[in-house]
Amino acid sequence: MTSRRQFLAGVSACLAGPEIFVRESRAQSADSRIEVLLDEPIATIAPEIYSHFVEQLGGVVYDGIWVGERSKVANVGGVRKQLVEALRKVNPGAIRWPGGCFADSYDWRDGVGPADKRPKRTNFWIDAGEWPAGARREGPACYDPGQFGTIEFARFCRLAGGQPYFAANLRSLPAQDFWRWVEYCNSPEGSTTLAEQRAADGERKPLNVRYWGVGNESWGCGGNFTPEEYSTEFRRFTAWVPDYGVQLRLVGSGPNGDDASWTRRFFEKMAQKGAVGRVWGWALHHYAWNVTGGRISDWFKAKGDALKFPPEEYYEITRQASVMESMIASHWSIMGEFDRAHRVKLVVDEWGAWYAAGSEPFEGALLGQQSTMRDAVLASSTLDVFNRNADKVAMANVAQLVNCLQSLFLAHEDKFCVTPTYHVFALYAGHQGAQSLRTVLSAPEVSYTRNSQPAKVAGISASASVRGKRVILTVTNPSLDQVREAEIAVRGAPLASARATALAAGDVHAHNSFEAPDAVQPREQTVAGGRWPLVHRFPPASVTKLEIELG
Ligand code: AHR
């Protein structure tokens, strides 16, 4: 069990960097085992598991992504250049926009046509309770200027190398507006009035948008529907939508948290109507909020701080993140009752950490928060869950891309930095499109105190994939004070070589900022041994990628 004193002692012992921390931590012999089973492939890891989420919220779009063509900030057609260049490097699968809750208030027509003629509209988030006390309610976070619309978003996706994933408004617009949006995006050159409008807006050729969310959180901000009502709406919205040769992948709005009855009742109704086949993906949302000592009804007030947190809150976030695995299993099993062939896949289109207000990168960045090594541990262990469930999860979108919740980037005016979560996405990028392999883990659990009661989290998280003769094994050691020494073997082929890259910092609170953008960054490590098992030491609160060449 880690006491507060041990934790602080560990922190002060390792301020000089991860290598020193490793040396000064308690000496151990191998206490863990990781076995990768080459002959037990799970499925191809969809590149879309490494997808992102961009909502018209706080400083995500305006300032984060869109600076405008006339800005002194380096840009490509109005889009922040540094951001697209960095995003491109982590190979984004898809990018979801314009929400979130914002989506069910958005009229796509407000964001097309000449930029100077577009209306300014009140943003969904203007009255949100999450605004920090005293924050000024002004600017694009409160009054959306419509400058970043369909075409700007599609161009941003193209620049970044990700596929657009639109979230349609099901709460406050009729179904016809959804079809018209599809028509605007996808109808062939010169074929319709909306295709002509698209051409006038600068895109003659169809945008060929494949991914469409049909509402967002339809049990809440997306309309307060019952699952049966939502099933009716879903069918109305998706009936006879022309696809213009693009096989539309329609995503249904899944449960509030882990609410099994929402999933069961929706699919039951869809099955009665013979319409399950219309759903391509079923959305799950899961945030880790570090509510310790409080009831979930108090989460809003009881969330912890992004930067200042005791061990209990660190482990609690890790534990909450681990719920993802059981959520996937339970909703997958319910869907199987109505879709035996499991044609419908899971789309975890919002996931990440959500802390209390107070660490926003700038005023107006609603839901903006700093991101530490704790968030890197959350990101890596969550991505491991998706990799291990590659047969079930077809897409996952971390919330959100920039200046909001578990961001990969912080950006304001001419200031820019990447977060530790960005580095995790870079370490994991090689898993995309590779074959996920079953990985058997054995490690001592980590004990901590939760609400004065003993609690535990898994001692190690990992996932593995193979492409040709190269295996990528990603390993997270969540312990704050224990080095994990693991014996590693890939069963089914000899070892040729191995190298490692680790993301670790002496202090789990370490983070990057505009002033210190490289405080946390990955470093190469040597891997000892030329045959199985390899023995490797994983520093406390670290994320490691092992690249293994098989003989
Ligand atoms: O990501 C912030 C918000 O969280 C989204 O708008 C909503 O879908 C979810 O509740």
Side-chain angles (χ1 to χ4, degrees), residues 104-116:
D104 278 292
S105 68
Y106 183 61
D107 185 342
W108 65 270
R109 287 170 207 269
D110 291 343
V112 298
D116 59 350

Side-chain angles (χ1 to χ4, degrees), residues 40-198:
E40 293 200 35
I42 296 170
T44 300
I45 297 173
E48 288 83 359
I49 281 180
Y50 294 82
S51 289
H52 302 273
F53 175 31
V54 165
E55 179 161 7
Q56 220 97 320
L57 193 179
V60 179
V61 169
Y62 297 103
D63 214 359
I65 297 171
W66 182 256
V67 294
E69 286 174 31
R70 285 194 290 273
S71 171
K72 64 176 174 35
V73 178
N75 68 85
V76 189
V79 169
R80 187 182 285 275
K81 192 160 180 267
Q82 267 184 304
L83 183 129
V84 280
E85 283 173 353
L87 182 54
R88 225 188 148 76
K89 288 190 191 144
V90 296
N91 205 17
I95 308 174
R96 178 177 183 241
W97 173 84
C101 293
F102 178 90
D104 278 292
S105 68
Y106 183 61
D107 185 342
W108 65 270
R109 287 170 207 269
D110 291 343
V112 298
D116 59 350
K117 300 262 168 354
R118 296 186 193 172
K120 201 179 226 190
R121 303 281 190 211
T122 306
N123 188 299
F124 169 87
W125 290 96
I126 189 169
D127 290 329
E130 287 92 342
W131 280 99
R136 276 173 292 165
R137 308 287 171 100
E138 58 187 30
C142 293
Y143 302 102
D144 193 302
Q147 300 301 293
F148 190 81
T150 299
I151 298 295
E152 290 78 17
F153 174 67
R155 287 180 179 162
F156 165 61
C157 290
R158 209 179 289 149
L159 286 170
Q163 297 193 59
Y165 168 21
F166 286 80
N169 180 343
L170 178 123
R171 168 170 61 81
S172 56
L173 283 182
Q176 196 178 58
D177 289 85
F178 169 51
W179 313 332
R180 295 281 188 251
W181 200 8
V182 177
E183 183 176 310
Y184 175 83
C185 292
N186 291 355
S187 62
E189 203 173 329
S191 62
T192 63
T193 302
L194 287 173
E196 296 292 357
Q197 185 176 345
R198 186 185 66 227

Side-chain angles (χ1 to χ4, degrees), residues 53 55 57 100-102 125 216-217 221 285 287 350 354 367 399-400 405:
F53 175 31
E55 179 161 7
L57 193 179
C101 293
F102 178 90
W125 290 96
N216 169 74
E217 298 193 349
C221 63
H285 290 180
Y287 288 100
E350 291 186 30
W354 189 324
L367 302 188
Q400 299 197 9
L405 304 176

